[in-house]
Amino acid sequence: MSRSRLVSDKKNTYHILTYGCQMNERDTESLTGFLRQMGYREAAPDEAGILLINTCCVRESAERKILGKLGELRKYKLARPETVIGIGGCMVQQPGMGERIRKEYPYVDIVFGTHNLHQLPRMIEQCQFGQVVEVWDSEGEVVEDLPERKVEGIKAHVTIMYGCNNFCSYCIVPHVRGRERSRNPEDVVKEVHSLVGQGVKEVTLLGQNVNSYGKDLQPPVTFADLLRIVNGIDGLKRIRFTTSHPKDFDLALIEAMAESDKVCEHIHLPVQAGSNRILTAMNRGYTREHYMEMISRIREAMPQVALTTDIIVGFPGETEEDFADTLDLVEKVRYDNAFTFLYSKRSGTPAAELAEQVDADTKKARFQRLLQLQNGISLEHNKAHIGTLHEVLVEGRSKTNKELMTGRTRGNKIVVFAGDEHQAGETVCVRIDEARTWTLLGTLVPQNGQPQ
Ligand code: SF4
């Protein structure tokens, strides 16, 4: 192959490195869509003509890692000066960051924020004439004319809203993703239809606070309304959603969940702390009592519901008594699973300025106690499923044992069983034989069995 052919092949290829949450993964899908529409195809980093980093800044450690990675990309530019290097997303959206990258990383061609990623094609054209640094301060309208998504597999995330209005005192998200903007239900439905047409069986509706979906629409639509609408889409088997905020989680939503057969009985309801004093310092907008009341209502309406949560350990000022309140709440709620985090300072947030930071050893010791407690409860929950039947949506071969198939229950528990590759995308009935902390092992039973 001639040298000129090789160069032109590379020119038409891209590679994207993504850091952070599901929202960022979804943004990367949009960036991918634009690049494919422009005729680019994916390649390894050392082969790619365009190298993009989609960044996260929720933790300062992530930021350091990303800037280190950006430094590493210089070698590709040195080897092939025609390579286009771009960086965008949450980290870039922070005040002064675009300018810092422009000065300290002059070989970077494109710098963009979270609000203007839809302008990537234009920025790629423009960077041929010099560095493009464009970070919009405000969010603007929801952009709907994105390229149609191409997905593989049976599950997909669908963004229903952008931004957050809550300003929890430890969180940078509202500062980099802007205020809440909901997509119109018609656009959400159109996207889900397209995904179902590509073989998707399960969608997860995504937003920083899905419970306040639609408050900004005219006429207003509630999240409960949206669930009912999406529930009516033919060919779709399951609906999940994340993330919920306890202050906005209401009885109307519980009702809509209970009566919508495709909405899975799993709620991720981040509590973050069990002490009212700490919840106030976090600016979470609810009390422990309100949270516990909501849990009781949920369990009354859906006794089989699986509950998961997020908890931050070692928030500034957290005393041993506050932490005991968190352990006590975990004992009382008995979550199926909890995602536990050590508090880490995030500059630009009010909590980072608080004087009473908890020392690292105390944080780690508390974290271990919480983990031990929750792991015991998770195993107990899983053991209670032994002998019961579950509807499992089959995802494919197990990653750890290629002889076996894997899928999830409606409660989002991973089940591994002996099955057939052709069952991928189907719902099957599985009897649970063995329980581990994170996984259930089971046996297929004939479809006339009655799953839970
Ligand atoms: S609800 Fe709180 S933690 Fe969640 S994104 Fe908004 S500000 Fe951050």
Side-chain angles (χ1 to χ4, degrees):
M1 191 183 292
S2 73
R3 163 86 188 139
S4 61
R5 174 73 203 285
L6 247 178
V7 168
S8 104
D9 274 352
K10 283 178 180 171
K11 262 188 169 169
N12 292 324
T13 54
Y14 70 90
H15 187 87
I16 307 179
L17 288 161
T18 308
Y19 292 85
C21 64
Q22 293 148 332
M23 292 296 255
N24 261 19
E25 298 279 351
R26 180 64 194 89
D27 283 351
T28 290
E29 276 189 30
S30 297
L31 295 170
T32 302
F34 286 120
L35 289 164
R36 291 207 176 133
Q37 211 171 47
M38 293 172 79
Y40 289 84
R41 61 187 164 74
E42 196 172 9
D46 57 345
E47 288 288 317
I50 296 185
L51 280 164
L52 295 181
I53 305 187
N54 186 12
T55 64
C56 167
C57 64
V58 166
R59 291 170 176 264
E60 257 162 35
S61 53
E63 195 171 299
R64 280 194 296 275
K65 205 163 134 188
I66 292 165
L67 289 173
K69 194 66 180 175
L70 191 60
E72 278 176 35
L73 296 190
R74 186 161 176 260
K75 65 179 182 220
Y76 298 116
K77 193 78 172 177
L78 288 174
R80 289 180 284 117
E82 72 275 17
T83 306
V84 171
I85 295 181
I87 184 162
C90 293
M91 189 187 90
V92 179
Q93 195 66 43
Q94 297 175 95
M97 185 56 86
E99 194 47 26
R100 179 177 166 194
I101 293 171
R102 192 180 70 75
K103 280 193 187 139
E104 294 178 20
Y105 304 82
Y107 53 89
V108 173
D109 301 282
I110 303 173
V111 182
F112 58 99
T114 52
H115 306 315
N116 63 331
L117 56 86
H118 59 287
Q119 298 201 324
L120 180 70
R122 199 245 317 135
M123 291 187 273
I124 290 174
E125 297 295 329
Q126 205 173 321
C127 78
Q128 311 301 327
F129 307 101
Q131 204 181 32
V132 179
V133 180
E134 289 185 17
V135 184
W136 291 5
D137 284 344
S138 65
E139 47 270 28
E141 298 288 303
V142 171
V143 176
E144 286 296 349
D145 59 344
L146 300 174
E148 199 191 358
R149 293 173 70 182
K150 296 283 172 250
V151 295
E152 287 168 12
I154 61 159
K155 301 201 292 187
H157 288 104
V158 175
T159 305
I160 61 165
M161 61 191 296
Y162 301 91
C164 180
N165 289 354
N166 286 312
F167 292 95
C168 299
S169 63
Y170 52 85
C171 182
I172 195 82
V173 168
H175 305 272
V176 292
R177 289 248 171 211
R179 301 294 80 72
E180 290 172 0
R181 286 103 63 213
S182 304
R183 295 178 69 195
N184 285 313
E186 303 79 43
D187 293 316
V188 173
V189 167
K190 194 171 149 205
E191 184 173 341
V192 177
H193 268 299
S194 153
L195 292 168
V196 169
Q198 296 178 55
V200 166
K201 307 289 179 195
E202 176 183 304
V203 292
T204 300
L205 305 178
L206 209 59
Q208 307 293 352
N209 175 12
V210 291
N211 310 112
S212 68
Y213 169 82
K215 287 180 183 161
D216 55 326
L217 294 175
Q218 264 326 315
V221 183
T222 67
F223 182 55
D225 296 334
L226 183 71
L227 276 187
R228 288 193 177 93
I229 295 169
V230 178
N231 195 63
I233 296 178
D234 285 342
L236 184 66
K237 289 189 175 173
R238 286 183 173 181
I239 303 166
R240 300 186 188 278
F241 55 87
T242 198
T243 297
S244 289
H245 196 301
K247 120 181 125 54
D248 298 312
F249 200 101
D250 59 14
L251 301 181
L253 175 55
I254 298 176
E255 228 172 79
M257 286 186 74
E259 70 188 46
S260 304
D261 60 324
K262 293 174 187 169
V263 179
C264 292
E265 296 80 11
H266 168 221
I267 298 173
H268 183 69
L269 199 58
V271 67
Q272 306 299 9
S275 141
N276 280 336
R277 208 176 67 79
I278 296 298
L279 287 173
T280 304
M282 287 178 164
N283 194 30
R284 289 289 288 171
Y286 54 86
T287 61
R288 169 193 174 98
E289 290 72 27
H290 171 86
Y291 186 92
M292 294 301 288
E293 171 67 17
M294 205 42 75
I295 295 288
S296 307
R297 296 298 191 96
I298 291 168
R299 284 203 163 122
E300 264 166 38
M302 291 175 283
Q304 301 296 342
V305 76
L307 291 167
T308 55
T309 199
D310 294 335
I311 299 173
I312 296 173
V313 176
F315 186 80
E318 182 190 76
T319 62
E320 192 50 38
E321 205 183 343
D322 294 319
F323 181 63
D325 282 346
T326 297
L327 293 179
D328 179 67
L329 183 135
V330 169
E331 282 271 17
K332 291 199 163 92
V333 176
R334 308 200 75 70
Y335 295 104
D336 289 78
N337 200 357
F339 299 89
T340 47
F341 304 89
L342 284 172
Y343 171 77
S344 78
K345 260 191 186 186
R346 174 63 266 188
S347 49
T349 63
E353 306 302 320
L354 295 173
E356 306 163 274
Q357 299 289 327
V358 177
D359 68 85
D361 288 346
T362 307
K363 271 196 259 189
K364 280 185 200 152
R366 288 180 187 165
F367 184 84
Q368 284 309 325
R369 283 160 67 195
L370 176 60
L371 203 64
Q372 205 175 359
L373 171 64
Q374 181 54 49
N375 284 352
I377 296 172
S378 296
L379 183 59
E380 205 178 282
H381 269 292
N382 281 355
K383 280 186 173 165
H385 290 301
I386 294 176
T388 60
L389 302 179
H390 285 265
E391 177 200 288
V392 172
L393 177 60
V394 186
E395 292 176 11
R397 294 226 165 266
S398 159
K399 286 198 180 95
T400 48
N401 183 345
K402 295 284 177 204
E403 303 288 298
L404 300 174
M405 297 297 288
T406 185
R408 288 187 188 243
T409 66
R410 289 177 66 92
N412 211 26
K413 292 189 187 281
I414 299 168
V415 181
V416 178
F417 58 96
D420 190 312
E421 196 141 14
H422 295 110
Q423 287 160 333
E426 300 293 318
T427 43
V428 296
C429 181
V430 177
R431 187 192 62 238
I432 306 304
D433 303 323
E434 200 183 320
R436 299 184 184 156
T437 310
W438 311 115
T439 325
L440 300 169
L441 286 87
T443 309
L444 271 178
V445 298
Q447 279 295 345
N448 55 5
Q450 286 300 305
Q452 274 194 340

